[in-house]
Amino acid sequence: MAITAGVALLSAATTSAFAIAAGTYVAGAFLTSFAVAFALGAAMKALIPKPSIPSGAIRGYQTNSLAPAQDHQIIYGKVRSGGAIVYDEATGDNNKFLHRIIAIAGHEVQSFDEIYINDEVVTLDGSGNVTSPSQYNSNVRINVHLGSSDQTADSDLVAESAKWTSEHRLRGIAYMYVRLKFDADAFPNGIPVITATVKGKKLYDPRSSSTAWSDNPALCLRDYLTSNYGLEENVANIDDTLVTSAANICDQTNTIASTTRYTCNGAFTTSSTPYDMLSELLKSMGGSMWYAQGKWRMKPAYWTTPVMDLNEDDLRSGISVG
């Protein structure tokens, strides 16, 4: 997992160790609770942590991945990401259309802000058709779904597929449905990689008792503690007074640079262990976390006014140099 000076959880890298499901053209067709044991009152110090995993080992889907069984991706803040390919189907004369579903996150997201075909940002019309770059005009359609609990099946795919029905709603899964029309000039290198810049999970904020998108590290950490892909801790066991204090510190702005003190922007998969994820999340606010008196407590790194001034007059005896 890439860390930027305790400010960002992940960097939006454009390369990955994941294999791209490239596909081929044939006859004009597309083929294709981890138990966390902390001693009571023990602090998790993350200001100068000793990494337990190789740098960059925790990350989400940087490109698109195709495999029999894949982990859900979790997105905090805003990040460019690929996803897990969960459905492919060819239809039309000579199978000229490839229908593909790319699951981006295993939860509801705020928005898809930018869509990329390979490394080019594309423009969509109101029906999801790509209008620019011009080579993709009439050849690509992309519909996005945010993953709400009442999400309905993609109507375009239902209409054009003999297999995808109105019961295939993918509730709680944020995804892109992509239809590609075979065109050797538009896709000279085969099936393109389609990714997106996504504003991720909506987070509960104890300061306002509301749930909305945020890249505040304290709120991301609280969410991980209480979610079923994290510790699944009872909310009553979270010290929300300290969460509120930590969130306020993270939201402080630098009046000169107009930047927020701490933000958390990145993705990871549910294969990451809770211990490693807690350590990485704490790095994004240079903070520490501990369990005391039946509650999880947190604190970001920040300067406070000294409460005591110690000098040589306070020493019990003189200083000796050996």
Side-chain angles (χ1 to χ4, degrees):
M1 175 176 288
I3 301 293
T4 305
V7 174
L9 173 61
L10 291 171
S11 61
T14 57
T15 60
S16 173
F18 286 106
I20 298 172
T24 56
Y25 295 102
V26 178
F30 285 115
L31 297 183
T32 349
S33 164
F34 179 88
V36 179
F38 293 116
L40 294 179
M44 287 182 63
K45 297 183 179 178
L47 287 177
I48 310 178
K50 180 180 180 180
S52 58
I53 52 176
S55 176
I58 293 181
R59 58 186 177 186
Y61 294 112
Q62 308 284 293
T63 182
N64 297 328
S65 175
L66 178 64
Q70 303 184 81
D71 298 301
H72 283 196
Q73 177 167 249
I74 311 300
I75 298 176
Y76 286 142
K78 181 177 178 179
V79 68
R80 180 180 171 186
S81 177
I85 299 170
V86 299
Y87 183 78
D88 273 344
E89 180 187 2
T91 65
D93 296 336
N94 296 318
N95 291 329
K96 67 178 178 180
F97 293 113
L98 172 66
H99 305 269
R100 169 165 288 183
I101 289 182
I102 305 170
I104 299 296
H107 55 80
E108 184 178 4
V109 301
Q110 173 68 21
S111 62
F112 286 80
D113 289 359
E114 292 178 320
I115 307 293
Y116 294 80
I117 296 181
N118 294 324
D119 283 326
E120 294 183 286
V121 178
V122 301
T123 302
L124 308 179
D125 65 16
S127 299
N129 298 301
V130 174
T131 58
S132 68
S134 58
Q135 72 188 80
Y136 303 124
N137 194 1
S138 301
N139 291 320
V140 184
R141 183 179 67 206
I142 303 174
N143 297 338
V144 299
H145 298 265
L146 302 181
S148 64
S149 59
D150 60 351
Q151 184 165 268
T152 59
D154 188 284
S155 58
D156 287 334
L157 182 54
V158 170
E160 298 179 32
S161 169
K163 301 177 181 179
W164 198 264
T165 74
S166 59
E167 298 300 315
H168 295 90
R169 300 170 63 177
L170 297 184
R171 287 173 289 183
I173 303 293
Y175 71 93
M176 294 186 290
Y177 157 53
V178 181
R179 191 191 74 172
L180 302 171
K181 179 181 178 181
F182 174 76
D183 187 317
D185 293 328
F187 309 111
N189 298 315
I191 301 174
V193 177
I194 299 178
T195 58
T197 299
V198 181
K199 278 188 174 180
K201 192 174 184 185
K202 300 176 182 179
L203 307 175
Y204 177 78
D205 190 336
R207 296 174 295 180
S208 60
S209 298
S210 62
T211 300
W213 177 86
S214 175
D215 59 2
N216 187 297
L219 302 184
C220 294
L221 181 57
R222 184 190 187 280
D223 179 81
Y224 189 81
L225 287 172
T226 58
S227 295
N228 58 9
Y229 50 79
L231 297 193
E232 203 167 4
E233 183 61 86
N234 192 310
V235 294
N237 296 333
I238 308 296
D239 188 333
D240 275 339
T241 299
L242 287 184
V243 173
T244 294
S245 176
N248 286 336
I249 292 166
C250 292
D251 277 345
Q252 290 176 353
T253 57
N254 183 320
T255 55
I256 298 177
S258 297
T259 56
T260 303
R261 181 191 285 268
Y262 296 121
T263 61
C264 177
N265 297 281
F268 61 95
T269 66
T270 50
S271 62
S272 306
T273 67
Y275 180 84
D276 289 331
M277 279 312 308
L278 290 172
S279 297
E280 295 299 307
L281 287 167
L282 284 167
K283 288 179 187 178
S284 66
M285 61 179 182
S288 58
M289 185 180 70
W290 64 100
Y291 187 88
Q293 298 177 321
K295 289 183 181 290
W296 291 96
R297 306 167 193 272
M298 65 180 69
K299 182 180 180 181
Y302 68 103
W303 182 87
T304 59
T305 303
V307 297
M308 183 180 296
D309 182 17
L310 298 176
N311 54 48
E312 293 181 1
D313 295 335
D314 296 298
L315 295 176
R316 183 175 181 181
S317 61
I319 300 176
S320 62
V321 179

